[in-house]
Amino acid sequence: THMARMYSMDDAMDLDELDAWLQRTEDALGAGSVTYTCELKIDGLGVALTYQNGTFVRAATRGDGTTGEDVSLNVRTIKDVPMHLSEPALVHMGADRERTIEVRGEVYMPKGSFVRLNDEADAEGRDPFANPRNATAGTLKQLDPRQVATRPLAFLAHGLGAYEGPELRDAKDFWNMLRHCGIPCNEPVYYTDSLESTRQAVRDIDRLRHTLPYGTDGAVIKISSTATREALGATARAPRWAAAYKF
């Protein structure tokens, strides 16, 4: 059971829908300028990693958002996932008592690994995977962690669930905390404060994604301020402070 619900995300299928979401959001806030982040939407499998007092204790898939599948043993084989957070992070958070951090992110299979996996399947007469996301899901749910270790997976973080630590005022505080912890971050992050700058960030991500060693299928736009996110809250299925623009 997740310590905090793992929501889905509302989609914007074109720039007009993205514009409409941005306008609804700013109308709801009734405020002036709003700062957003634009991030790569990684085409992987969403997981939550739980650390207690700096030590990895559990990994779970998103599942239905409330309960996921325990994949801790398999995630332990992913080299990108630290089993212990860095010492500076523990000092920063106050390691004198137990702290919990639940990091959300995507487990994915790099494009090169996917090609090699399907080449091996073809040579052995097995059916190939249709895409890297299916290969990732199939690998992460293997019963034998030794088999998982032979199929290189990677992880990039993009959000938080349960969190006990110093106040994180905005996205920049969040990303700085992850870097202190030694957790790989979903980068680059674009900061925008207008409709046109957000549109430009989406266009930049669309160009960048073709050069990356992993699959992406969109851009995620989020409000940066933690207080504003809390004020907007969520619907039954998705946060009101974030949307996914799908390429």
Side-chain angles (χ1 to χ4, degrees), residues 7-19:
Y7 286 99
S8 299
M9 198 166 294
D10 287 335
D11 291 336
M13 303 306 294
D14 56 41
L15 287 175
D16 288 340
E17 288 189 11
L18 177 60
D19 292 350

Side-chain angles (χ1 to χ4, degrees), residues 25-195:
T25 301
E26 297 195 10
D27 288 346
L29 292 173
S33 179
V34 179
T35 299
Y36 300 93
T37 64
C38 294
E39 308 163 20
L40 292 152
K41 187 176 184 297
I42 301 165
D43 192 16
L45 190 69
V47 297
L49 312 180
T50 302
Y51 293 84
Q52 290 182 342
N53 201 29
T55 299
F56 173 87
V57 295
R58 184 174 60 255
T61 62
R62 180 181 170 275
D64 63 4
T66 300
T67 305
E69 183 176 350
D70 190 320
V71 289
S72 303
L73 292 178
N74 289 346
V75 167
R76 284 179 179 273
T77 70
I78 301 175
K79 294 179 181 178
D80 291 341
V81 176
M83 293 296 101
H84 301 280
L85 303 184
S86 67
E87 190 64 28
L90 295 180
V91 171
H92 178 66
M93 293 183 64
D96 54 321
R97 70 177 185 85
E98 186 172 288
R99 302 277 193 178
T100 297
I101 308 178
E102 189 185 30
V103 179
R104 271 80 185 276
E106 297 287 321
V107 172
Y108 65 92
M109 182 172 289
K111 292 175 182 177
S113 299
F114 173 69
V115 171
R116 287 192 295 274
L117 182 64
N118 272 354
D119 285 345
E120 291 171 4
D122 184 57
E124 296 171 6
R126 293 183 284 108
D127 291 334
F129 287 101
N131 53 60
R133 190 181 191 283
N134 286 1
T136 300
T139 299
L140 204 56
K141 295 178 181 181
Q142 286 276 335
L143 297 179
D144 186 353
R146 292 171 297 181
Q147 182 67 26
V148 177
T150 67
R151 301 180 180 180
L153 296 176
F155 173 82
L156 287 173
H158 56 58
L160 273 183
Y163 171 73
E164 297 171 355
E167 179 186 4
L168 304 176
R169 297 164 298 176
D170 54 24
K172 288 183 178 179
D173 281 353
F174 161 67
W175 293 115
N176 286 335
M177 184 272 290
L178 283 191
R179 294 184 190 100
H180 274 295
C181 289
I183 295 172
C185 304
N186 180 21
E187 294 180 305
V189 177
Y190 298 80
Y191 292 88
T192 66
D193 59 6
S194 68
L195 176 62

